[in-house]
Amino acid sequence: MLGLGCLAGDLRSGGRLLRCVLMTPGTQQSFPSSVMQKMHLSSEPLTRGRLHTVKRMSGLCGSLWHGRHHQLPLVTLRSFLSQGPNPSTAAARVKLRTRLLVTLLFGGGLVGTWWYVYMEKQYKLQRQRVEQLKKVALGQGNFSLVDHRGQRRTKADFLGSWVLLYFGFTHCPDICPDELDKMSAVVAALDKEPSLPPVQPIFITVDPERDDVAALAKYVKDFHPRLIGLTGTAEEVKHAGRDYRVYASPGPKDDDGDYIVDHTILIYLITPDGLFLDYYNRMKNAEQITESIKNHMNVHVKL
């Protein structure tokens, strides 16, 4: 009586070979070594999935014997089990990861180098800008005036702070109030940026004859609470305006002794170093001025 079965060999190490043999009473035929090599049998341990395949293929061997193919002296079963991880594939993955890492490091180095060169260039440009501002004959002098509280103030008192400076007079019917409202709006907008330093607004009169301490104290209440009004003698006021090339000329008096002062209408931006940096005329609105000052602050290099 012939019998057909599937034997798993070398099971001591977890089951490494699978062979189908033809068994007769007293004999057992198995594959010769040359056939075994051609079968490409898996050298990996049998997992639960492989064991399921073994059982399925064992049943196939039994069907072959009991069917029409019983004349075959030997039935072979190729192993369809997984061959396990392919060493070449694993090596390729390692190489790919290595290439990606090298690419990232190289790209990061290029970006870092570009950023360093860019910042160095910006720093040099800013230094050149500062040197140019030093040569500008604008706001180079000092002033000594009295504020709306009656205290003597000089330009040195405002060093370390960004300053917005406007020259005008309290009897101005519309232009000065409009410009001071705009300057107050700019200061308020900048105050909402916690990363930016505060800006000090200053109003210097060009009409010291009428704008005394009391007049200034009443006038500045209508604008930003940090606004400082400055006045002084005619000579002190004239000297302060001359440093910023401010034109001021009183017009003829009417029957009531009232008059208009024709003057320069500009808002000056002063750096914490006391240097004139920029100016804004009536054509600039509050939003444009605010954005300009923010840009100046972001690139400012302290002396």
Side-chain angles (χ1 to χ4, degrees):
M1 183 67 180
L2 294 175
L4 184 65
C6 288
L7 298 177
D10 198 10
L11 294 174
R12 293 167 302 186
S13 59
R16 296 186 180 278
L17 297 177
L18 178 65
R19 64 175 78 178
C20 240
V21 299
L22 181 65
M23 295 177 291
T24 61
T27 65
Q28 177 176 306
Q29 296 181 2
S30 63
F31 301 113
S33 59
S34 60
V35 176
M36 293 293 290
Q37 293 177 358
K38 295 180 180 179
M39 290 173 67
H40 305 293
L41 297 177
S42 174
S43 61
E44 294 297 322
L46 286 175
T47 62
R48 181 174 296 182
R50 291 196 179 110
L51 184 58
H52 175 71
T53 306
V54 169
K55 292 179 179 179
R56 182 165 53 86
M57 300 313 295
S58 299
L60 176 61
C61 290
S63 299
L64 289 173
W65 169 249
H66 293 290
R68 298 179 180 179
H69 304 286
H70 60 275
Q71 297 90 351
L72 295 175
L74 180 64
V75 179
T76 64
L77 174 65
R78 286 183 60 91
S79 174
F80 292 98
L81 304 178
S82 173
Q83 299 298 316
N86 192 333
S88 61
T89 303
R93 290 178 180 176
V94 172
K95 289 182 179 179
L96 179 59
R97 292 175 182 174
T98 303
R99 290 176 181 174
L100 289 176
L101 179 60
V102 171
T103 302
L104 289 175
L105 292 175
F106 182 73
L110 287 178
V111 173
T113 302
W114 174 86
W115 181 253
Y116 174 79
V117 173
Y118 173 79
M119 293 304 296
E120 282 293 313
K121 182 178 180 180
Q122 293 300 315
Y123 177 78
K124 290 180 180 179
L125 291 176
Q126 183 65 17
R127 294 295 299 179
Q128 292 175 1
R129 173 66 172 163
V130 171
E131 294 300 324
Q132 292 173 355
L133 290 176
K134 287 182 177 180
K135 297 177 182 180
V136 175
L138 192 66
Q140 294 293 319
N142 194 7
F143 60 77
S144 179
L145 298 169
V146 180
D147 68 13
H148 63 275
R149 297 184 181 92
Q151 298 178 353
R152 177 65 59 173
R153 308 296 289 267
T154 67
K155 183 180 178 180
D157 294 332
F158 303 102
L159 292 178
S161 300
W162 289 86
V163 172
L164 281 177
L165 176 62
Y166 180 78
F167 291 84
F169 63 107
T170 62
H171 287 74
C172 182
D174 48 19
I175 295 178
C176 290
D178 290 344
E179 292 301 292
L180 289 175
D181 280 336
K182 182 169 63 176
M183 189 168 73
S184 298
V186 170
V187 174
L190 293 171
D191 285 344
K192 296 179 181 180
E193 300 285 343
S195 61
L196 299 179
V199 176
Q200 176 60 58
I202 297 177
F203 170 73
I204 298 180
T205 183
V206 293
D207 184 20
E209 182 179 342
R210 292 179 294 183
D211 292 343
D212 56 11
V213 172
L216 285 180
K218 181 180 179 181
Y219 188 70
V220 298
K221 290 181 180 179
D222 294 332
F223 306 103
H224 195 278
R226 285 206 307 271
L227 179 63
I228 296 177
L230 296 177
T231 187
T233 65
E235 185 60 31
E236 289 172 341
V237 169
K238 184 177 180 180
H239 174 75
R242 186 169 55 240
D243 284 343
Y244 292 92
R245 298 183 180 179
V246 173
Y247 168 79
S249 177
K253 295 182 180 181
D254 58 16
D255 295 339
D256 297 328
D258 196 10
Y259 57 91
I260 298 296
V261 179
D262 186 20
H263 64 91
T264 302
I265 305 173
L266 291 175
I267 296 176
Y268 298 88
L269 176 64
I270 312 300
T271 71
D273 306 301
L275 298 175
F276 161 78
L277 183 60
D278 209 343
Y279 69 90
Y280 308 102
N281 56 30
R282 295 183 64 189
M283 303 302 296
K284 298 290 185 179
N285 58 38
E287 290 75 17
Q288 292 172 325
I289 297 175
T290 301
E291 192 65 26
S292 173
I293 295 175
K294 289 168 61 176
N295 292 335
H296 283 308
M297 288 180 171
N298 290 331
V299 300
H300 175 67
V301 178
K302 187 177 181 180
L303 295 179

